[in-house]
Amino acid sequence: MSHPPTRVAIVGGGPAGLAAAEVLAEAGMGVDLFDAMPSLGRKFLMAGRGGLNLTHSELLDAFLARYGARQSQLEPLVRAFDPEALAVWARGLGIETFVGTSGRVFPREMKAAPLLRAWVHRLRENGVVTHARHRWVGWEGSDDGGRLRFATPEGEKTHDAAAVVLALGGGSWARLGSDGAWIPLLAERGVAIEALKPSNCGFDVAWSQFFRDKFAGEPVKNVVASCATASPRRRGEFVVSEHGVQGSLIYALSASLRDQLEREGRATLTLDLLPDRGAERVLEDVSHPRGARSLSSHLQSRVGIAGVKAALLREVLDKEAMLDTRRLAQAIKALPLVLTATRPIDEAISTAGGVRFDAMDANFMLKRLPGVFCAGEMLDWEAPTGGYLLTACIASGRATARGVLGWLRH
């Protein structure tokens, strides 16, 4: 007499939850996948609006170093499902990929929706049952035996499962379901959690009203940025916002800048506005007699500094410094922008903090809650944009699913 498959509940329909569901279903487990939103992968779809960055093509050792303080915890997961494996996996869903000029890997269609549709279709073909508009609100009673409670449009429902995978995301973009509401539910059960912090976030700068009105929304291109606590310096571009600065170059340094702000109450972002011209050459060009020309015309013709870059110099330097050729040249090569705060966590692309790794065993099962596993961004790690977040989330979901299989078969 055959027995029905063991059923596992997965709470959270983002990439980590979907990846866990895939591994479990392929292993013959029955899977119920719950999500608070009306459809799966809402944040995944939003992240792909400008071109879904699946992963990155750089050498694996360099790739792994992007996980910083959590490299040792994430390395085994990512090595087990590395960027090359992820591209092969996407191809299996009918999604061809290509490597962009920055080394980032994208689907040829540059969209998240076709991949998500194919992924969810394959999960359902493999027997995964999805439950939309089911917001997890904890356990029934004091016994953590798998009876999960969900708030639904039809009222509260409960669900029994042999094991549970929580893949509930961090705390950014709450309107898409990643709201951190799971934190008190686990904390009251004694699970150790690091407070969530914004990651890949913008920062506040005390712009003058003139600069804000004239340049908010302007991109600052081809600069090199650095901060005292991060290495190496990074080249790229960012955007002047109404409140301060944001964009890919800022996000690459955001963890170091955020931590400096926490320690010191302020942080300094240093900009090289002319990274392709040496300091001596800049000084020589700035010092060239300008005759009757205005300083603005002189900077534009001799140095190539105009528009928002020239405005940044005037924003940071006083009139006396602007007229001092040596100080002006130094500022062009190392302009200090003082950051006063991170932008709110809900504006961040991702979050740091979450369930501590020492709160789980080697298979990502919570030590305080046997049979309950965690995956994805709700764990205490962070990474820059560039495909590193998505790769680790998918790798984490797959690794957690393997942990579930090992525990159920023990």
Side-chain angles (χ1 to χ4, degrees):
M1 179 178 177
S2 63
H3 295 278
T6 301
R7 299 201 71 79
V8 178
I10 298 175
V11 187
L18 296 174
E22 185 169 31
V23 171
L24 290 166
E26 288 175 352
M29 296 289 168
V31 178
D32 288 282
L33 178 59
F34 300 88
D35 196 88
M37 304 304 287
S39 59
L40 302 176
R42 285 293 181 95
K43 187 175 178 182
F44 179 73
L45 287 173
M46 178 65 76
R49 282 183 63 181
L52 179 66
N53 186 190
L54 277 174
T55 189
H56 203 286
S57 63
E58 68 187 352
L59 294 175
L60 187 56
D61 285 347
F63 188 100
L64 293 168
R66 303 290 189 178
Y67 297 110
R70 294 291 176 265
Q71 179 177 345
S72 62
Q73 289 94 345
L74 293 175
E75 183 167 342
L77 286 61
V78 175
R79 284 193 181 277
F81 195 73
D82 62 17
E84 185 176 344
L86 195 154
V88 171
W89 167 83
R91 198 174 306 126
L93 289 171
I95 306 297
E96 294 296 326
T97 61
F98 73 97
V99 180
T101 54
S102 64
R104 300 181 178 200
V105 177
F106 300 91
R108 289 217 172 271
E109 292 183 287
M110 293 292 288
K111 296 177 182 177
L115 188 152
L116 182 62
R117 280 196 300 269
W119 198 0
V120 173
H121 177 72
R122 186 162 73 185
L123 291 175
R124 287 173 174 157
E125 281 194 328
N126 286 343
V128 174
V129 180
T130 59
H131 307 266
R133 294 188 174 91
H134 278 61
R135 178 175 296 279
W136 179 57
V137 293
W139 287 273
E140 186 178 61
S142 58
D143 177 20
D144 305 327
R147 291 196 305 278
L148 300 165
R149 294 170 52 224
F150 293 95
T152 80
E154 293 78 37
E156 186 169 300
K157 297 181 180 180
T158 60
H159 182 82
D160 287 312
V164 175
V165 175
L166 300 178
L168 292 158
S172 63
W173 298 12
R175 71 187 189 281
L176 302 179
S178 181
D179 58 9
W182 52 268
I183 291 175
L185 300 177
L186 293 186
E188 69 185 11
R189 303 284 171 145
V191 177
I193 298 169
E194 287 292 325
L196 296 183
K197 307 173 186 178
S199 182
N200 294 299
C201 59
F203 293 86
D204 289 344
V205 180
W207 300 132
S208 66
Q209 191 63 49
F210 171 81
F211 184 85
R212 181 183 294 113
D213 290 345
K214 190 167 180 61
F215 293 101
E218 285 285 318
V220 183
K221 298 185 177 183
N222 191 27
V223 295
V224 167
S226 61
C227 65
T229 55
S231 180
R233 301 179 345 139
R234 297 190 182 277
R235 182 190 287 254
E237 63 181 78
F238 67 93
V239 175
V240 171
S241 71
E242 179 183 356
H243 303 286
V245 291
Q246 63 186 43
S248 58
L249 184 58
I250 305 302
Y251 303 153
L253 297 169
S254 65
S256 297
L257 292 167
R258 179 200 66 220
D259 293 347
Q260 186 180 4
L261 268 166
E262 285 187 352
R263 290 191 309 270
E264 304 171 18
R266 55 188 274 166
T268 300
L269 175 72
T270 303
L271 300 174
D272 182 346
L273 300 178
L274 285 178
D276 296 319
R277 196 175 302 197
E280 290 185 6
R281 170 70 186 282
V282 170
L283 177 58
E284 179 184 328
D285 290 339
V286 169
S287 302
H288 191 276
R290 61 185 172 97
R293 287 183 304 176
S294 68
L295 180 57
S296 295
S297 297
H298 179 63
L299 285 175
Q300 183 168 2
S301 62
R302 294 295 306 185
V303 192
I305 292 284
V308 67
K309 286 188 177 181
L312 280 169
L313 287 168
R314 295 184 183 279
E315 187 74 2
V316 173
L317 301 179
D318 58 25
K319 186 174 182 180
E320 181 182 344
M322 287 292 294
L323 295 174
D324 183 326
T325 54
R326 187 167 295 276
R327 290 171 66 186
L328 178 58
Q330 289 172 344
I332 289 171
K333 293 298 291 179
L335 185 70
L337 279 187
V338 176
L339 312 181
T340 58
T342 59
R343 294 299 300 153
I345 197 167
D346 198 47
E347 293 181 15
I349 289 176
S350 58
T351 49
V355 175
R356 291 170 51 125
F357 280 88
D358 59 11
M360 302 176 290
D361 66 13
N363 294 313
F364 305 97
M365 185 171 73
L366 293 171
K367 295 174 182 176
R368 298 295 297 264
L369 301 172
V372 179
F373 298 74
C374 293
E377 198 186 333
M378 69 183 292
L379 306 185
D380 179 22
W381 62 281
E382 63 181 314
T385 57
Y388 310 103
L389 287 163
L390 185 54
T391 299
C393 280
I394 293 175
S396 169
R398 294 177 66 88
T400 300
R402 292 193 297 271
V404 172
L405 292 172
W407 185 72
L408 288 174
R409 291 168 176 172
H410 182 66

